[in-house]
Amino acid sequence: MEFTKEQQEIINSTGNIKINAVAGSGKTTTIIEYAKARPKASRILYLAFNKSVKLEATKKFADKSLHNVRVETAHSLAYKHIVFRNDYKVRAFGYKTYEIAELLGLQATGDKHAKYIVANHINKFITYFCNSDKTKVQDLNYLEIVSDPKARTFVSTFYDYIEMQTRLLLSKMDRGEIEITHDFYLKKFQLSNPKLNYDYILFDEGQDASAAMLDVFFNQNATKVIVGDTHQQIYGWRFAVNSLEKADFKTYQLSTSFRFSQAIADLAVEVLKWKKLLELEPPFQITGRGTKGKIKSKAVIARTNLGLLLKAIEYVTEKKRVKNIYFEGNINSYTYAEEGASLYDVLSLNNGKHRLINDKLIKQMKNIEELEEYIEKTEDVQLGMMVEIVKEYGNSIPSIINKIKKKHIDTDDKENAEMIFSTVHRCKGMEYDAVQIVDDFISEEKLEKLVSDNKKEDLDFDKLNEEINLLYVAITRAKSSLYIPETLMPAELQASGQIRIMGVGKEVEKQASTNRRSRVKEKTDKDGVVTNSFSVDEIRKKHRTAYKPWTRELDSELTEKYREGIAVKELSKHFGRTRGAILSRIKKLELKELYG
């Protein structure tokens, strides 16, 4: 096999190094060759991101007869050192809010359901501490990760009580009085200051490392290698840290992707350039060497569970030709929150049918308004999304979910799915021939507005950076074809046949439906993806400036001509843009409200 110059430099490197590897750049192949180039007697530890990656990596190292390489995840390594050597019982899943309230006998008063709100924050505080590199709970300020004003007010009021009960629950686990969580034994492993008997330690997916495990890693005497992609850091909400930024090692790049073409690479880079708005360093150039092959796997990728379910509902109710679908992680994981509550519980609460509610926490709520108040004070995003779905679809939910489940196939038959649905987080590490992106990601326009309308100190730049990363990860799952909403299209992107632009939003579609029916029909693309989509090239044949950014001068000109009463059709011709684009800009500038 012929390696790139970048790969060869890594294989031949010495000392501690970090590798910034773009999506599809053959990092696993490079790491295997790096291990192969070490002395045969070397003891090598490869730390995989999760269990599925561990199994895959174990096979790949074995296929190369690298039996001196041990493959572990952070948790499997910690499990062997802590759980095996102690008489701990591990809880399969984390503790639910109501279970924590019962275990600790919480008595918080004042707010409605205060003890459950306190329990929810205790749960998050424990996760925060266990994934940190701190040695004591008191070394952390939990308020730093609470952003909602109502939640901050509540936590400030009960802070000492929340901290005390957090320490109490941890001590109960430590003494073996209750089952321990996976996060707990990882923390216990870090605090034990282990010394691992390896000559080389290879840390994969370093951009989303647990600070606790990173602390273990840095304290080893072995030669250290960190591999990751700075722009794929998307687990900040789990308190992950970017070890590539923490490690003062010599840096190597893997900037050539063998997954996708240069067109998709250019799109990914243009999205990453939005980080300039956050005063972050621009990305390095990505080279795309992927070649377009036969379309076998097609996926819809969304930012949120809500966005994904809405798109899935569209497919099963409107695009009935799709017979078999598959959800990464199984459909049930999208209809249940981590706490255990289901969409059906929230629907029953909304309908006032408490006898049908199974979840103990939801059962405590008198109505949906109380649940929304709880969500505000706990920042429970998953429950919040469920409430939104219930409000949108109401009593149609059971039949809709039933339709989705009827078309859902088993994991073993995944390759036969006509469409795969996934959130970005669940398809990390995956790749698909054709990808359709849902319009629930941050856009350049939204980002610009946030930055211009807010003071710098009021913005969470880390979260905004991660939002850009989420779109980048979604884009780089595509191998051959990418379908992207026009709202997410970078202003500076050049036209490309492999990148298809999906139609305008619902409100504009209604206004422009008659016109659009004559020129844009729902069609099955040659890749087999059903969508109202069209390429920039096709549109610019009729509308010369389509998808180019609006300037202040153009906005002023549009305003003047609108005030003069010039028809949308004529405005479209004058500005060289689609009717939908003109209507969208009129709405954005609120010209109808201002001038009628």
Side-chain angles (χ1 to χ4, degrees):
M1 180 179 179
E2 186 177 343
F3 298 105
T4 65
K5 182 182 178 182
E6 290 177 331
Q7 288 176 312
Q8 200 63 59
E9 287 177 349
I10 291 167
I11 294 167
N12 297 333
S13 67
T14 58
N16 297 334
I17 65 170
K18 56 183 177 181
I19 306 166
N20 202 5
V22 302
S25 59
K27 64 172 183 174
T28 304
T29 299
T30 306
I31 286 301
I32 288 173
E33 291 302 319
Y34 172 91
K36 194 175 177 181
R38 301 312 104 186
K40 289 187 177 181
S42 299
R43 294 158 300 178
I44 302 174
L45 173 65
Y46 175 83
L47 286 171
F49 183 66
N50 56 32
K51 187 177 179 180
S52 61
V53 175
K54 175 187 173 182
L55 293 172
E56 185 181 351
T58 299
K59 184 179 183 304
K60 287 182 177 179
F61 281 113
D63 288 345
K64 293 289 184 178
S65 299
L66 291 170
H67 304 297
N68 59 325
V69 179
R70 187 177 188 87
V71 182
E72 300 281 1
T73 64
H75 281 90
S76 69
L77 191 65
Y79 189 95
K80 290 169 183 175
H81 279 74
I82 300 301
V83 180
F84 275 5
R85 297 176 185 179
N86 297 276
D87 194 24
Y88 284 129
K89 291 183 179 178
V90 180
R91 190 173 181 81
F93 302 100
Y95 286 100
K96 296 177 182 178
T97 294
Y98 75 85
E99 291 173 327
I100 291 175
E102 290 175 359
L103 280 170
L104 296 173
L106 298 180
Q107 299 296 324
T109 58
D111 292 62
K112 281 184 181 178
H113 310 296
K115 68 178 182 180
Y116 296 115
I117 300 172
V118 166
N120 185 286
H121 285 293
I122 290 169
N123 213 358
K124 289 177 183 173
F125 204 161
I126 286 176
T127 303
Y128 184 34
F129 171 67
C130 287
N131 283 280
S132 76
D133 58 3
K134 305 301 182 186
T135 58
K136 297 178 181 178
V137 171
Q138 303 94 301
D139 293 337
L140 291 171
N141 180 5
Y142 176 66
L143 268 172
E144 288 181 353
I145 64 168
V146 182
S147 56
D148 183 88
K150 286 190 177 181
R152 285 186 66 85
T153 299
F154 183 91
V155 172
S156 296
T157 303
F158 291 97
Y159 193 91
D160 291 342
Y161 186 62
I162 291 170
E163 183 188 90
M164 179 184 71
Q165 295 296 332
T166 297
R167 292 164 60 192
L168 179 58
L169 190 61
L170 285 167
S171 67
K172 282 179 177 289
M173 283 193 260
D174 193 34
R175 294 193 298 268
E177 294 176 12
I178 59 175
E179 292 176 320
I180 65 171
T181 62
H182 295 287
D183 280 342
F184 177 83
Y185 66 71
L186 180 64
K187 185 63 179 181
K188 185 93 173 170
F189 179 56
Q190 178 233 339
L191 294 177
S192 70
N193 194 25
K195 297 302 175 187
L196 306 175
N197 191 25
Y198 294 99
D199 301 306
Y200 298 87
I201 302 179
L202 318 177
F203 198 147
D204 199 3
E205 295 293 336
Q207 78 282 345
D208 279 314
S210 156
M213 192 59 208
L214 193 58
D215 184 60
V216 173
F217 175 74
F218 282 144
N219 283 322
Q220 303 309 309
N221 292 321
T223 297
K224 305 171 189 68
V225 177
I226 297 178
V227 191
D229 182 350
T230 296
H231 302 302
Q232 289 195 60
Q233 183 184 17
I234 60 173
Y235 284 96
W237 55 280
R238 284 189 184 174
F239 314 116
V241 296
N242 187 352
S243 62
L244 295 168
E245 294 176 352
K246 302 285 184 182
D248 187 21
F249 299 166
K250 184 175 181 179
T251 303
Y252 289 86
Q253 307 284 0
L254 285 177
S255 60
T256 298
S257 177
F258 303 98
R259 176 182 298 165
F260 44 74
S261 68
Q262 190 60 49
I264 294 175
D266 289 343
L267 172 58
V269 170
E270 287 302 323
V271 166
L272 292 178
K273 285 180 180 178
W274 298 352
K275 294 189 178 189
K276 290 179 182 178
L277 293 167
L278 307 179
E279 300 177 6
L280 296 173
E281 288 292 320
F284 55 82
Q285 188 58 42
I286 299 174
T287 301
R289 286 193 184 175
T291 56
K292 186 169 183 177
K294 187 177 180 181
I295 301 296
K296 294 180 180 179
S297 57
K298 292 166 281 187
V300 171
I301 300 177
R303 162 71 179 85
T304 62
N305 283 355
L306 174 61
L308 192 69
L309 281 172
L310 294 180
K311 183 57 70 173
I313 289 168
E314 178 186 325
Y315 265 83
V316 299
T317 58
E318 297 175 22
K319 298 173 182 176
K320 297 178 181 178
R321 74 188 78 184
V322 179
K323 295 178 181 178
N324 298 321
I325 63 174
Y326 179 80
F327 276 72
E328 296 286 8
N330 197 290
I331 178 61
N332 289 332
S333 63
Y334 294 88
T335 58
Y336 281 82
E338 287 183 8
E339 284 279 323
S342 73
L343 264 176
Y344 304 107
D345 290 326
V346 179
L347 177 61
S348 296
L349 178 66
N350 193 51
N351 290 336
K353 296 181 178 179
H354 280 70
R355 60 186 175 79
L356 299 178
I357 300 173
N358 293 316
D359 183 74
K360 288 187 178 181
L361 175 65
I362 303 296
K363 212 175 184 72
Q364 299 298 318
M365 308 293 168
K366 287 183 179 179
N367 49 47
I368 202 76
E369 288 73 28
E370 280 196 10
L371 179 58
E372 288 179 304
E373 187 178 341
Y374 169 85
I375 289 167
E376 275 191 303
K377 292 177 179 176
T378 59
E379 299 181 304
D380 194 318
V381 176
Q382 289 182 323
L383 273 179
M385 287 184 183
M386 287 185 175
V387 170
E388 287 188 55
I389 293 172
V390 165
K391 286 187 171 182
E392 178 73 22
Y393 290 98
N395 292 325
S396 300
I397 287 173
S399 63
I400 289 171
I401 297 299
N402 190 44
K403 284 180 182 178
I404 291 175
K405 287 185 175 181
K406 279 185 177 179
K407 293 192 175 188
H408 193 276
I409 58 179
D410 294 333
T411 303
D412 292 341
D413 294 324
K414 176 182 171 181
E415 62 181 26
N416 296 320
E418 294 174 60
M419 189 62 69
I420 296 169
F421 293 87
S422 182
T423 59
V424 184
H425 290 99
R426 290 184 185 275
C427 67
K428 183 82 179 290
M430 304 286 189
E431 59 181 27
Y432 311 96
D433 296 316
V435 168
Q436 178 182 350
I437 295 177
V438 176
D439 190 13
D440 63 346
F441 291 82
I442 197 165
S443 66
E444 186 174 16
E445 187 176 338
K446 287 179 185 175
L447 192 62
E448 287 174 342
K449 185 171 176 58
L450 279 169
V451 173
S452 63
D453 291 356
N454 293 277
K455 294 179 181 178
K456 187 176 179 179
E457 57 269 23
D458 293 335
L459 291 172
D460 189 332
F461 276 38
D462 289 338
K463 283 187 178 179
L464 290 175
N465 177 56
E466 196 159 301
E467 288 298 326
I468 297 171
N469 289 348
L470 286 164
L471 180 55
Y472 165 78
V473 171
I475 289 168
T476 55
R477 299 311 93 194
K479 293 171 66 177
S480 296
S481 299
L482 184 73
Y483 298 76
I484 185 168
E486 63 174 337
T487 53
L488 301 179
M489 194 70 171
E492 302 302 320
L493 183 72
Q494 297 299 311
S496 166
Q498 285 187 291
I499 298 170
R500 312 283 290 183
I501 313 299
M502 293 192 295
V504 294
K506 289 182 180 179
E507 288 187 27
V508 179
E509 277 196 58
K510 288 178 183 177
Q511 294 170 313
S513 60
T514 303
N515 181 277
R516 287 177 68 246
R517 271 198 294 270
S518 66
R519 60 184 175 83
V520 181
K521 296 180 180 179
E522 184 181 85
K523 58 184 179 181
T524 301
D525 183 83
K526 61 183 177 180
D527 295 332
V529 176
V530 181
T531 177
N532 286 344
S533 62
F534 28 86
S535 70
V536 173
D537 286 331
E538 290 169 349
I539 294 175
R540 284 183 178 163
K541 287 177 183 177
K542 290 186 177 181
H543 309 283
R544 64 186 183 279
T545 59
Y547 302 109
K548 289 186 177 179
W550 285 87
T551 62
R552 288 183 180 179
E553 291 76 14
L554 287 173
D555 281 343
S556 297
E557 187 179 355
L558 176 62
T559 301
E560 286 302 314
K561 291 190 177 297
Y562 183 87
R563 288 176 63 187
E564 292 170 10
I566 296 175
V568 172
K569 183 178 180 180
E570 295 305 314
L571 291 173
S572 176
K573 287 181 180 179
H574 176 79
F575 287 98
R577 296 175 185 266
T578 65
R579 177 184 170 90
I582 296 296
L583 288 168
S584 180
R585 201 64 185 176
I586 287 171
K587 182 182 177 185
K588 178 177 174 58
L589 298 175
E590 299 180 344
L591 300 184
K592 192 172 182 180
E593 289 81 355
L594 291 170
Y595 306 111

